[in-house]
């Protein structure tokens, strides 16, 4: 069973349809890249899955349970297996908190214990040794390190699904390769299901198991990375 399954999703902003009848799924250990030009609707899908925008139709199943059909008060718990990272590592970290407190945030939200150990493990997993980084503030980090902190915060609850919305958009070429390799490794080694959003088809081909191509709010092609040929 696919840990994340999106079925017939529709999202509107006012009267305009941004996402039209989109279906996709991600299995454990699989990296699916959603590619397409600016305005195609990629981020809207990420935001709908993460609960940041309300769809006007369709289903979002996590481990077979439809989030949209569940009572509001149950949704936070149902979203526990999902975590999201966004593209801008400068605006996504609170400047007044130390790295260890930032990474611990989802543990507080979901009332999970064993915080110090989980935070250290998450920092280790993204290649930031806790001894060196845990006490720093965001202004004491490079852009690439900030993005790794955002990734550690997403991994700290040991999620089944990671949604990464253009996680490399603000990074230079070397850091971009490091971050995408890390996402690939998390899928391969930890069995994470990764929904990766990018406008970079060449990079998507390099790291993805499957690719879904979006155009004007709809998926126009979907398949194994080596078979998806149409440039968005
Ligand atoms: P992508 O991530 O592929 O660049 P988006 O999902 O951000 O595309 O946007 C899809 C469409 O929805 C675009 O036409 C965009 O202008 C519109 N849109 C995105 N966010 C909003 C919003 N908060 N309010 C109104 N329209 C939006
Ligand atoms: P533990 O006490 O298990 O090591 P944390 O390192 O997450 O867990 O610290 C516990 C809490 O204390 C955090 O949730 C955080 O909000 C708060 N805290 C402690 N020191 C700081 C600090 N320097 N900056 C921000 N928050 C802090």
């Amino acid at each position: 069973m696919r840990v994340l399954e999106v079925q017939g999703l529709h999202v509107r902003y006012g009267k305009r349809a941004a996402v039209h009848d989109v279906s996709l799924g991600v299995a454990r250990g699989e990296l699916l890249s959603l590619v397409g030009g600016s305005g195609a609707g990629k981020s809207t899908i990420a935001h709908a899955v993460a609960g940041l925008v309300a769809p006007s139709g369709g289903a979002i199943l996590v481990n077979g349970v439809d989030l949209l059909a569940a009572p509001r008060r149950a949704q936070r718990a149902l979203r526990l297996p999902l975590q999201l990272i966004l593209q801008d590592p400068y605006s996504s970290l609170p400047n007044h908190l130390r790295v260890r407190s930032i990474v611990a945030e989802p543990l507080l939200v979901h009332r999970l214990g064993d915080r110090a150990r989980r935070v250290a493990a998450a920092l280790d997993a993204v290649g930031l040794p806790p001894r060196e980084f845990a006490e720093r503030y965001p202004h004491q980090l490079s852009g690439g390190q900030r993005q790794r902190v955002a990734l550690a915060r997403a991994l700290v609850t040991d999620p089944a699904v990671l949604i990464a919305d253009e996680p490399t958009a603000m990074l230079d070429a070397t850091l971009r390769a490091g971050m995408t390799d890390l996402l690939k490794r998390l899928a391969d080694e930890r069995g994470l299901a990764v929904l990766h959003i990018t406008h970079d088809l060449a990079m998507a081909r390099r790291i993805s198991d499957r690719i879904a191509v979006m155009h004007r709010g709809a998926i126009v092609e979907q398949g194994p990375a080596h078979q998806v040929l149409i440039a968005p």
Side-chain angles (χ1 to χ4, degrees):
M1 187 182 62
R2 286 172 168 175
V3 57
L4 173 66
E5 188 92 46
V6 171
Q7 296 174 346
L9 191 72
H10 291 261
V11 184
R12 316 185 66 88
Y13 293 112
K15 288 190 170 167
R16 276 225 346 268
V19 165
H20 180 77
D21 196 21
V22 161
S23 297
L24 56 84
V26 196
R28 284 188 183 277
E30 184 177 51
L31 195 155
L32 171 69
S33 286
L34 194 54
V35 304
S38 178
K42 306 182 298 296
S43 291
T44 298
I45 291 176
H47 292 167
V49 172
L52 305 177
V53 300
S56 52
I60 298 171
L61 288 82
V62 177
N63 291 318
V65 178
D66 184 5
L67 296 179
L68 304 179
R72 256 195 112 68
R73 64 179 186 285
Q75 295 210 355
R76 178 184 282 182
L78 289 174
R79 281 203 165 83
L80 177 58
L82 298 178
Q83 286 290 341
L84 175 73
I85 60 168
L86 302 172
Q87 63 174 252
D88 184 356
Y90 287 90
S91 61
S92 64
L93 302 182
N95 287 311
H96 63 291
L97 293 183
R98 290 179 197 273
V99 164
R100 63 181 168 80
S101 302
I102 294 170
V103 174
E105 281 175 344
L107 300 175
L108 300 180
V109 169
H110 290 286
R111 299 170 191 234
L112 298 173
D114 199 12
R115 287 188 202 137
R117 190 197 58 79
R118 286 177 191 253
V119 167
L123 286 170
D124 275 328
V126 300
L128 297 175
R131 212 165 283 150
E132 191 179 339
F133 290 96
E135 299 302 320
R136 294 199 195 182
Y137 288 95
H139 71 84
Q140 297 166 319
L141 301 170
S142 70
Q145 290 165 350
R146 282 169 187 250
Q147 198 56 304
R148 283 168 189 264
V149 169
L151 185 55
R153 176 174 58 186
L155 296 175
V156 77
T157 56
D158 205 10
V161 182
L162 177 72
I163 302 150
D165 187 0
E166 301 256 10
T168 61
M170 312 283 283
L171 306 181
D172 69 31
T174 315
L175 291 174
R176 199 176 302 146
M179 176 59 68
T180 51
D181 291 349
L182 183 53
L183 291 178
K184 177 80 183 132
R185 249 194 4 255
L186 290 168
D188 288 346
E189 292 172 11
R190 290 170 65 137
L192 200 63
V194 182
L195 177 58
H196 170 237
I197 291 171
T198 182
H199 57 265
D200 185 343
L201 182 60
M203 188 249 276
R205 278 222 182 85
R206 193 167 60 74
I207 64 166
S208 309
D209 299 299
R210 285 187 307 120
I211 294 178
V213 183
M214 277 198 88
H215 183 65
R216 294 195 177 179
I219 290 180
V220 294
E221 198 184 351
Q222 184 165 192
H226 60 279
Q227 281 177 18
V228 171
L229 296 174
I230 299 171

